[in-house]
Amino acid sequence: MTDLAAVKTALKTQAVETPSWAYGNSGTRFKVFTQAGVPRSPWEKLEDAAQVHAFTGVAPTVALHIPWDKVDDYAALAKFAEERGVGLGAINSNTFQDDDYKLGSICHPDAAVRRKAVDHLLECVDIMDATGSADLKLWFADGTNYPGQDDVRARQDRLAEGLSEVYGRLGDGQRMLLEYKFFEPAFYTTDVPDWGTAYVHCLKLGSKAQVVVDTGHHAPGTNIEFIVATLLREGKLGGFDFNSRFYADDDLMVGAADPFQLFRIMYEVVRGDGFTSEVAFMLDQCHTIEAKIPAIIRSVMNVQEATAKALLVDRSSLAAAQAAGDVLGAHAVLMDAYNTDVRPLLAELREEMGLDGDPLAAYARSGWAERIVAERVGGQQAGWGA
Ligand code: PSV
Ligand code: MN
C-alpha cells in the first residue's frame, strides 16, 4: 500500500521551473506566429510566469535565456520576480545565434571565436551572481555537417578546455548543467550528442557539473527512463528540460505526445530518490499555435499527474513481484499506478494549498488573458532572438 499522505506531501513540494522563452512568440524555421498579449520584455514574461505559479502552486521559478532576457539590472529583475511570488531559476546560455558561430562556438576551430563563446558563458555566471541563480544550463549547437569538415577529437579537447574554464568560475552552490542533443543544427557530428558524452565531460569537471536530459533530444525509440536511472545512479542527473516530441525536437507540451513515457521517467526519478534531491524539473517548450499561459499551466499539470502516478506505484508489491520473477504481476503493479485517475487527488491537493482545484478554469476566469491583450499594445513582442 502506498502512503497517500506522503504522496501528497511530495507533490506539494514539487517545483517545476518554467522557461521565459515559452511566454514569447515562437515558430518553426518556416514561420514565427505572433499572438496578442505576448510579453514585450523579460519583466512581462515574469508577470506571466507568476500567473502560472499562482494557479498551479508548483511553478515557483523561471529560467532565463541570455541574451534574450538581457536587462541592465538583474538584481532589480530578481526583486521584480520576488514581488510577484516567483524567483529566477537557471541561466541558459546562447552561443548559437551569432554569425561568428557558424562553425561552432566553444568547439570552433578559431581560438578567437572560442574566447568569445567562453566569455559569454562567464558573463552568464556573473548574471547568476546577480540573480542568485544556482544553475548555469549549457547547450551547444556545435558540430559539423560534413565528414572531414573538422577534427572531431580536437573539438572534444576544445570543449573540455572551455568547460573547465567556466567550471572554475562557478561559486559555492552554483552548478553547471550540460545538455545534450543528438542532432540539429549540425547534421553530421554534434559535439555533445548524447548523455554519455555529457557524462564524461561532467565527470572530469567535478561534482558541480551535471547532465541535463531534454526529453526531446533523443533518437526516436530511445529509452529515456533508462538514461535517467543510470544518471541518477551515478549522482549525475542535474535536471530535465521537459517537452514532448513526435518526430525530432518538437518542443510540444510535456506529457502531450507520450504521457506513459513521462510516467516511466518520473517513476525512475522516484525510484532513484531524484524527487527529493537536487534534480531540477524544468520545462523547455514553445507554444507556437496554442495560447501560451494555459499551455504552460497544462504542462505543469501534466508533470504533476505523471509524478503523482509515479509516487502511487506500490513499490513493496512491485519489489515482491520482481523478486518472485512474476513478470505479469510486476508489470500490473506499475500499470495500476499509471492507470489511476489522479485528477481528483490533485484537485484536492490544490484546494488544501488554498488554490482552485482546476487551474485552467481558474486562469480563464481570472481575466489575465484579456488584460494582457488590452494592455500590451505596441512595442516589440518577445520571440526568437529577442
Ligand atoms: C536546444 O534545442 C534547447 O533545448 C536548449 O535547452 C536551448 O537553450 C533551448 O532549446 C532554447 O529553446
Ligand atoms: Mn532544452
Side-chain angles (χ1 to χ4, degrees):
M1 277 298 288
T2 27
D3 176 355
L4 261 191
V7 169
K8 276 187 171 177
T9 307
L11 288 168
K12 281 180 189 161
T13 54
Q14 185 169 36
V16 179
E17 182 161 306
T18 71
S20 69
W21 54 98
Y23 299 94
N25 284 324
S26 61
T28 63
R29 64 199 168 103
F30 300 102
K31 167 77 179 158
V32 172
F33 296 103
T34 58
Q35 289 184 21
V38 155
R40 295 158 302 172
S41 66
W43 314 85
E44 289 182 348
K45 292 178 191 173
L46 290 173
E47 287 180 341
D48 288 358
Q51 296 297 310
V52 173
H53 183 48
F55 290 102
T56 61
V58 293
T61 56
V62 187
L64 299 185
H65 214 295
I66 306 300
W68 301 339
D69 296 316
K70 234 178 173 159
V71 292
D72 290 335
D73 186 344
Y74 289 99
L77 192 70
K79 187 159 174 284
F80 180 86
E82 195 189 313
E83 285 162 3
R84 280 149 191 82
V86 288
L88 302 182
I91 300 298
N92 287 252
S93 61
N94 182 324
T95 52
F96 50 87
Q97 281 189 312
D98 203 296
D99 283 339
D100 282 340
Y101 298 140
K102 188 167 80 174
L103 301 180
S105 63
I106 191 170
C107 304
H108 197 285
D110 182 344
V113 178
R114 297 204 294 278
R115 185 69 256 153
K116 173 176 166 166
V118 170
D119 284 345
H120 167 71
L121 305 183
L122 294 172
E123 180 201 355
C124 287
V125 185
D126 292 341
I127 293 171
M128 290 165 70
D129 289 341
T131 57
S133 299
D135 293 335
L136 172 68
K137 180 144 72 68
L138 306 178
W139 171 73
F140 298 105
D142 292 47
T144 66
N145 274 4
Y146 294 99
Q149 178 190 322
D150 197 1
D151 184 316
V152 294
R153 286 182 59 137
R155 291 181 75 94
Q156 287 299 305
D157 295 341
R158 298 171 203 151
L159 176 66
E161 193 184 314
L163 288 178
S164 139
E165 183 177 343
V166 179
Y167 185 86
R169 165 68 183 83
L170 294 175
D172 289 340
Q174 291 182 335
R175 297 191 298 177
M176 174 189 279
L177 304 181
L178 184 58
E179 182 175 349
Y180 59 90
K181 171 161 147 173
F182 74 126
F183 87 108
E184 196 197 28
F187 294 118
Y188 170 54
T189 59
T190 293
D191 294 311
V192 189
D194 50 29
W195 74 269
T197 308
Y199 175 76
V200 292
H201 281 282
C202 289
L203 196 64
K204 273 200 182 141
L205 287 164
S207 60
K208 290 181 190 172
Q210 292 187 303
V211 181
V212 169
V213 175
D214 182 314
T215 49
H217 287 188
H218 307 83
T222 302
N223 185 329
I224 300 175
E225 59 269 29
F226 184 83
I227 297 171
V228 170
T230 304
L231 288 173
L232 270 170
R233 198 165 168 269
E234 300 301 328
K236 279 290 185 197
L237 181 65
F240 289 97
D241 263 4
F242 281 130
N243 51 64
S244 276
R245 56 82 61 79
F246 286 100
Y247 299 101
D249 190 15
D250 305 346
D251 280 342
L252 299 173
M253 293 187 298
V254 61
D258 191 347
F260 184 42
Q261 180 190 57
L262 183 59
F263 160 78
R264 299 191 312 261
I265 290 172
M266 288 312 300
Y267 174 69
E268 287 306 330
V269 171
V270 171
R271 167 70 181 84
D273 290 330
F275 197 50
T276 47
S277 72
E278 290 199 324
V279 176
F281 299 99
M282 302 171 281
L283 304 182
D284 178 9
Q285 316 184 146
C286 294
H287 308 293
T288 303
I289 58 166
E290 67 274 29
K292 295 163 199 305
I293 299 173
I296 299 168
I297 292 176
R298 171 164 287 284
S299 305
V300 171
M301 292 168 68
N302 286 351
V303 173
Q304 261 188 316
E305 285 178 20
T307 308
K309 292 177 182 201
L311 289 163
L312 282 174
V313 172
D314 183 343
R315 287 178 58 189
S316 51
S317 299
L318 181 62
Q322 288 170 344
D326 181 359
V327 175
L328 290 177
H331 179 60
V333 173
L334 208 71
M335 295 312 291
D336 277 348
Y338 176 64
N339 288 319
T340 307
D341 183 358
V342 293
R343 290 172 300 178
L345 172 82
L346 286 166
E348 196 180 296
L349 181 98
R350 292 183 191 113
E351 278 154 20
E352 285 173 19
M353 292 166 77
L355 302 170
D356 194 295
D358 182 345
L360 280 167
Y363 171 73
R365 278 196 312 272
S366 74
W368 183 260
E370 294 75 15
R371 189 177 145 187
I372 55 178
V373 168
E375 288 178 3
R376 294 178 185 166
V377 177
Q380 170 83 38
Q381 292 189 321
W384 282 103

